[in-house]
Amino acid sequence: MTTTTALVDTTVAGSLLAGLLLGTRLLRRPAGPGAGGTVAPEVLLAGVTALIYLNQLLCAAYLLRVQGGDTTFVTRYLPPGWFAQPDGNPLVRLVADHLPAPALFAPTVLRVQAFLELPFVLLAYGTVLRRLSPALYRTVLGSRALVRSAALSYTVVFGVVEWDLRNPWTVQDLVIRAVSAVLTAPLLNALARREPGADREPGAAGLLLFAASLWAVGTLVMVVYDTALLYNLGHLGGRWPEALLALLVLAATARRQGAGPAGGRGTAALDAALRRSLTLFLVPALAIRYGVTFGTPLLAAGGALLTGAQALWHRRVRAGLLPLVLGGAAGLAAAYLAVLLVTDTYYESALLRAMATALVVTTLGCALADRLRPERLSAHAVN
């Protein structure tokens, strides 16, 4: 076992333990009211994304002006799939021609992104939480212990990957990532605790809108990951249509998603399982993702299954277990077909498509079961 594998496996195990302990404890607490006057995480996510692309533009201009467009000075330390630059792009050439003191823009290579990556992924997670329930978002990202544990876990994982791909900038990147973690966690706490939004009733319409939001946020993350976080600005020309579609979906689903009638036991069980899963997965999510490729895949898969099982261990889930199981079986079959029919460059894209497909089909299955056997629930059965 390599040092990287051992470190990733240790991080997976530690993150799982912290996530289950802290998440389970947090789920027992009622969601308190927010202070009001907050900024939606979507707004800050858009700002961080803009900074990421600004850095990419300046990086491309720096590489063109100082390195003559040659990226071998950095790519020799990295695996294939990095630094596909936008050769001949007129905007890049314009910025390169007018770049003052171009050598000062050397930190745009690797270091600036090292600071922005953590707030980017945590704000994306917060956006998903808020789309399901503002109260859940307030409770989860308002927890100091949970957010600090997530920031620590993600920073350790990023650091282990950095060390596995070590290069002349690695030590600087590790320090920058540590600073980013120290600053990001309290910012997210303060942001979430001011969320004024109330909780939302479980219902098929709200869950379908959430599935669309989940796909849209995940698609945007994958586009940014490919075109910016891997420094492949040259790929943006081929990926902007799906990014635009994702933005349109996010705009269309921005209205209150729980405005419809409450569902029956099946949709309530699915809603509860989703809330618990998103809470329990916050801390170990990134460790599990990198555990698949850098660590032991069986440990990562086992950790994901353990967390999923814990998410299902709840009275509201058990009350609607039969329609949830039947709908979930149909959802898994549909997810398998969604993965089988398309070949992806990144396995995360297949996973995202499978998750969105499974959620849509499972929701429809639970809604059908609820119509066949209507047993309406009260409005506040969410945890």
Side-chain angles (χ1 to χ4, degrees), residues 85-119:
Q85 291 299 291
D87 297 330
N89 185 286
L91 178 59
V92 173
R93 290 193 173 276
L94 178 65
V95 174
D97 290 340
H98 295 84
L99 205 62
L104 294 179
F105 290 86
T108 59
V109 177
L110 301 182
R111 280 147 290 178
V112 172
Q113 306 293 56
F115 184 86
L116 296 174
E117 194 166 14
L118 180 66

Side-chain angles (χ1 to χ4, degrees), residues 19-95:
L20 290 173
L21 289 176
L22 295 172
T24 303
R25 182 182 303 173
L26 188 68
L27 285 167
R28 296 195 185 106
R29 301 178 189 171
T38 189
V39 177
E42 290 95 327
V43 175
L44 289 186
L45 179 62
V48 170
T49 303
L51 290 176
I52 289 173
Y53 278 108
L54 175 60
N55 182 73
Q56 285 301 295
L57 177 61
L58 295 173
C59 177
Y62 163 80
L63 292 172
L64 188 62
R65 180 80 175 271
V66 177
Q67 303 293 337
D70 182 12
T71 62
T72 55
F73 76 101
V74 61
T75 55
R76 63 187 178 191
Y77 300 105
L78 302 170
W82 292 61
F83 281 89
Q85 291 299 291
D87 297 330
N89 185 286
L91 178 59
V92 173
R93 290 193 173 276
L94 178 65
V95 174

Side-chain angles (χ1 to χ4, degrees), residues 331-370:
L332 288 175
Y336 177 74
L337 289 177
V339 171
L340 195 64
L341 295 175
V342 181
T343 301
D344 298 278
T345 303
Y346 303 107
Y347 89 89
E348 293 95 338
S349 298
L351 180 62
L352 172 65
R353 189 171 59 257
M355 289 171 58
T357 302
L359 181 53
V360 168
V361 174
T362 303
T363 299
L364 293 175
C366 290
L368 177 60
D370 290 342

Side-chain angles (χ1 to χ4, degrees), residues 259-351:
R265 292 187 182 277
T267 50
L270 178 57
D271 179 81
L274 280 172
R275 291 166 184 261
R276 293 176 64 81
S277 295
L278 287 171
T279 302
L280 297 173
F281 267 109
L282 173 61
V283 176
L286 198 68
I288 289 174
R289 177 261 178 265
Y290 278 102
V292 173
T293 51
F294 281 87
T296 305
L298 289 178
L299 176 62
L305 290 173
L306 176 63
T307 306
Q310 178 65 23
L312 295 175
W313 190 256
H314 187 263
R315 60 181 177 81
R316 192 154 298 281
V317 178
R318 295 194 296 272
L321 192 58
L322 180 58
L324 182 60
V325 168
L326 294 177
L332 288 175
Y336 177 74
L337 289 177
V339 171
L340 195 64
L341 295 175
V342 181
T343 301
D344 298 278
T345 303
Y346 303 107
Y347 89 89
E348 293 95 338
S349 298
L351 180 62

Side-chain angles (χ1 to χ4, degrees), residues 118 122 141 144 147-148 151 180-190:
L118 180 66
L122 286 177
L141 289 195
R144 288 191 180 93
V147 171
R148 288 175 182 176
S180 178
V182 169
L183 296 178
T184 299
L187 172 64
L188 290 178
N189 284 151

